[in-house]
């Protein structure tokens, strides 16, 4: 199920954003969306029936000026956004996820995931976590791992909670969208490879994060994060040039109308440039790839309240719009 929410004004920063849309029973197509909630079909405007958002990003330097022109051209045919379904804005080849990148969030998780037999007072464990964060920042070692594109779903689609997921949790995140291949780029060069930004909610089953059968192996991100639909994405890709400072954006997640996460990207230990640069030291980042930058404090483990059937999550990031997803329990076959 996918239902577009009521319009938000303005829906994003800047003169336009990119989206992937479809008419009822029609194929998905790349679109330019304007702040007044109208749509330009980029297949027609750029005369390419096979066009996708990812193909746009593969030629981002050449395409961007044309998109600016289209956004300001009042003679180009436009249709109301309300008549279309909004999908995840891009199909990436690679998804780079990040953990432990918001200082307060890491401290909260450190306290919540107390090791068996660790009976130290909470303030002592918090101090230990704070010291660990300071050391990580000094050593310049972000925590990056790989997610699956198959976990991505649309920004207004229902999220199915698998029957095996005992502790499904939300994680609202700023996602950088790559627009130029990046391999072994410096921190100073990194943002030149970012085409834009979007919203991701990187759901996690807390019960399966750590392997119970072999604790020494550590984390199991495959099972805990990559169920189908566990990464609601979008609604838009907002060009980087429209976001003045990705290091000063407000992330807010509401659960059934109650605010659970409300933090600035200022609390990130490693900013976007450092995350992109770090991932590129090992991997070759490709146009359309996503670099998720971690989630702030306020997850379900902190509140002692995990996701349930019927829950509605509203996630927003300043300048990037908002997504709304409803949780539904998996139907036994």
């Amino acid at each position: 199920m996918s239902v577009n929410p009521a319009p938000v004004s303005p829906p994003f920063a800047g003169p336009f954003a990119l989206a992937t849309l479809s008419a009822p029973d029609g194929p998905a197509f790349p679109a330019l969306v304007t702040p007044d909630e109208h749509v330009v079909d980029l297949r027609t405007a750029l005369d390419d029936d096979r066009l996708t958002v990812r193909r746009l990003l593969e030629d981002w330097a050449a395409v961007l000026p044309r998109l600016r022109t289209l956004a300001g051209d009042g003679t180009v045919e436009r249709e109301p956004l309300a008549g279309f379904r909004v999908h995840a804005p891009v199909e990436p080849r690679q998804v780079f996820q990040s953990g432990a990148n918001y200082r307060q969030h890491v401290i909260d998780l450190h306290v919540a995931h107390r090791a068996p037999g660790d009976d130290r007072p909470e303030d002592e464990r918090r101090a230990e976590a704070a010291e660990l964060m300071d050391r990580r920042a000094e050593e310049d070692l972000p925590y990056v791992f790989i997610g699956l594109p198959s976990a991505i779903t649309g920004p207004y689609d229902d999220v199915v909670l698998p029957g095996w997921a005992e502790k499904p949790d939300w994680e609202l995140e700023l996602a950088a969208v790559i627009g130029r291949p990046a391999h072994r780029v410096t921190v100073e060069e990194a943002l030149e490879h970012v085409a834009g930004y979007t919203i991701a909610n990187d759901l996690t089953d807390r019960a399966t994060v750590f392997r119970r059968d072999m604790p020494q192996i550590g984390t199991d991100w495959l099972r805990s994060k990559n169920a189908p639909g566990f990464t609601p994405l979008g609604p838009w890709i907002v060009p980087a040039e429209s976001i003045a400072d990705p290091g000063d954006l407000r992330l807010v997640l509401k659960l059934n109308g109650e605010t659970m996460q409300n933090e600035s990207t200022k609390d990130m230990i490693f900013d976007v440039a450092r995350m992109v640069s770090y991932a590129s030291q090992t991997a070759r980042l490709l146009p359309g790839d996503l670099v998720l930058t971690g989630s702030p404090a306020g997850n379900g483990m902190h509140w002692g309240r995990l996701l349930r059937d019927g829950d509605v999550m509203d996630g927003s990031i300043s300048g990037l719009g908002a997504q709304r997803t409803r949780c539904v329990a998996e139907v036994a076959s």
Side-chain angles (χ1 to χ4, degrees):
M1 179 179 180
S2 177
V3 179
N4 295 358
V8 177
S9 183
F12 48 78
F16 71 91
L18 292 178
T20 297
L21 310 177
S22 65
D25 301 320
F29 65 91
L32 180 147
V33 181
T34 55
D36 63 354
E37 304 263 345
H38 280 74
V39 171
V40 176
D41 186 336
L42 291 175
R43 295 172 302 180
T44 302
L46 299 179
D47 193 25
D48 185 347
D49 289 339
R50 298 186 301 159
L51 196 62
T52 64
V53 168
R54 195 170 80 191
R55 286 187 62 190
L56 287 169
L57 293 167
E58 289 171 348
D59 195 23
W60 187 240
V63 165
L64 182 57
R66 300 179 69 184
L67 296 177
R68 294 191 195 111
T69 300
L70 284 172
D73 186 350
T75 66
V76 175
E77 182 179 355
R78 304 182 184 192
E79 297 183 63
L81 174 64
F84 297 92
R85 176 180 175 181
V86 181
H87 301 268
V90 67
E91 293 184 357
R93 281 165 286 207
Q94 303 178 104
V95 180
F96 298 88
Q97 297 174 316
S98 173
N101 197 38
Y102 279 78
R103 185 179 179 85
Q104 189 57 49
H105 177 217
V106 175
I107 292 173
D108 288 346
L109 287 179
H110 190 81
V111 172
H113 288 289
R114 178 171 55 186
D118 186 351
D119 297 323
R120 292 176 298 163
E122 180 177 319
D123 58 352
E124 184 176 336
R125 287 181 285 121
R126 284 187 176 276
E128 178 184 70
E131 182 180 348
L132 175 62
M133 293 307 97
D134 292 340
R135 185 164 64 250
R136 286 182 60 231
E138 290 174 2
E139 295 174 351
D140 199 21
L141 288 175
Y143 184 24
V144 178
F145 45 94
I146 304 301
L148 296 179
S150 60
I152 291 173
T153 192
Y156 312 127
D157 292 344
D158 288 349
V159 173
V160 176
L161 303 178
W164 52 260
E166 299 175 12
K167 296 181 178 180
D169 202 348
W170 56 86
E171 289 197 32
L172 190 67
E173 306 197 18
L174 171 67
V177 184
I178 299 301
R180 285 175 51 200
H183 185 53
R184 297 182 180 175
V185 301
T186 66
V187 173
E188 292 74 23
E189 298 167 331
L191 293 187
E192 298 173 9
H193 297 260
V194 174
Y197 299 95
T198 190
I199 302 171
N201 187 357
D202 182 22
L203 272 67
T204 304
D205 176 44
R206 302 293 180 190
T208 50
V209 168
F210 299 103
R211 293 294 298 245
R212 297 175 182 175
D213 54 340
M214 294 187 67
Q216 61 270 35
I217 290 178
T219 48
D220 187 347
W221 296 128
L222 171 64
R223 192 167 193 215
S224 62
K225 284 183 174 287
N226 287 290
F230 257 35
T231 313
L233 188 74
W236 332 113
I237 296 173
V238 178
E241 65 184 20
S242 296
I243 302 300
D245 183 4
D248 188 15
L249 302 177
R250 175 65 51 175
L251 293 80
V252 178
L253 184 136
K254 296 182 179 182
L255 181 68
N256 303 327
E258 181 179 357
T259 299
M260 311 304 277
Q261 291 183 289
N262 186 356
E263 184 57 85
S264 169
T265 53
K266 287 182 179 180
D267 195 49
M268 288 196 296
I269 300 167
F270 303 102
D271 63 17
V272 175
R274 292 175 76 182
M275 297 297 299
V276 170
S277 173
Y278 179 81
S280 81
Q281 300 310 307
T282 301
R284 181 176 175 83
L285 281 58
L286 304 171
D289 287 352
L290 303 175
V291 179
L292 277 59
T293 56
S295 188
N299 299 104
M301 288 295 289
H302 169 75
W303 296 108
R305 171 31 168 116
L306 285 306
L307 291 170
R308 302 191 289 250
D309 182 41
D311 281 344
V312 175
M313 296 178 287
D314 287 289
S316 65
I317 299 179
S318 50
L320 303 183
Q323 57 177 231
R324 166 172 285 189
T325 49
R326 181 170 64 101
C327 297
V328 296
E330 182 179 38
V331 178
S333 58

